[in-house]
Amino acid sequence: MKVILVDKKCEKCGNIKYDVFLDENTYCDCGELMKRIYSYRKYSEFVPGFYSHFTHEDIYIDSPKTYKKMCKKYNVEQVGGKGVYERNY
């Protein structure tokens, strides 16, 4: 079973609920059935911190630009989703 989260809006009062299940009826606080709204794709915000998938030691990375630079330097790319990394040989 696939779980899909969407945003829905009440046409009566304009209230918006974020990340609700697509296949369930969602009702607003005013009692109106909410309708799905389509918006821009949500993005993942970069989280500064120590990353250990480049070398045997943790490397502190503070920006997406530095992250891309380290990927190129250590010949690493992300594959298959968040947290899965593979060396390019």
Side-chain angles (χ1 to χ4, degrees):
M1 183 175 157
K2 189 173 183 180
V3 176
I4 300 174
L5 297 176
V6 297
D7 301 334
K8 293 187 179 183
K9 182 176 183 177
C10 175
E11 292 184 336
K12 184 177 179 183
C13 68
N15 185 29
I16 297 175
K17 289 190 180 182
Y18 299 96
D19 296 331
V20 295
F21 296 111
L22 174 64
D23 59 347
E24 291 182 356
N25 287 333
T26 306
Y27 290 91
C28 183
D29 297 335
C30 69
E32 189 76 17
L33 181 64
M34 300 180 88
K35 292 189 177 184
R36 181 178 178 180
I37 56 173
Y38 296 87
S39 59
Y40 292 107
R41 182 180 222 186
K42 294 179 181 169
Y43 63 93
S44 297
E45 189 174 317
F46 179 80
V47 179
F50 289 94
Y51 289 81
S52 60
H53 54 270
F54 295 107
T55 65
H56 62 281
E57 294 180 11
D58 292 344
I59 299 172
Y60 183 78
I61 299 177
D62 60 353
S63 70
K65 185 177 179 180
T66 305
Y67 184 84
K68 288 180 183 179
K69 187 176 168 182
M70 289 295 149
C71 284
K72 191 170 187 175
K73 178 180 178 181
Y74 291 104
N75 202 23
V76 173
E77 72 178 16
Q78 185 174 355
V79 294
K82 292 182 177 182
V84 180
Y85 295 89
E86 193 172 271
R87 294 227 181 258
N88 295 325
Y89 293 107

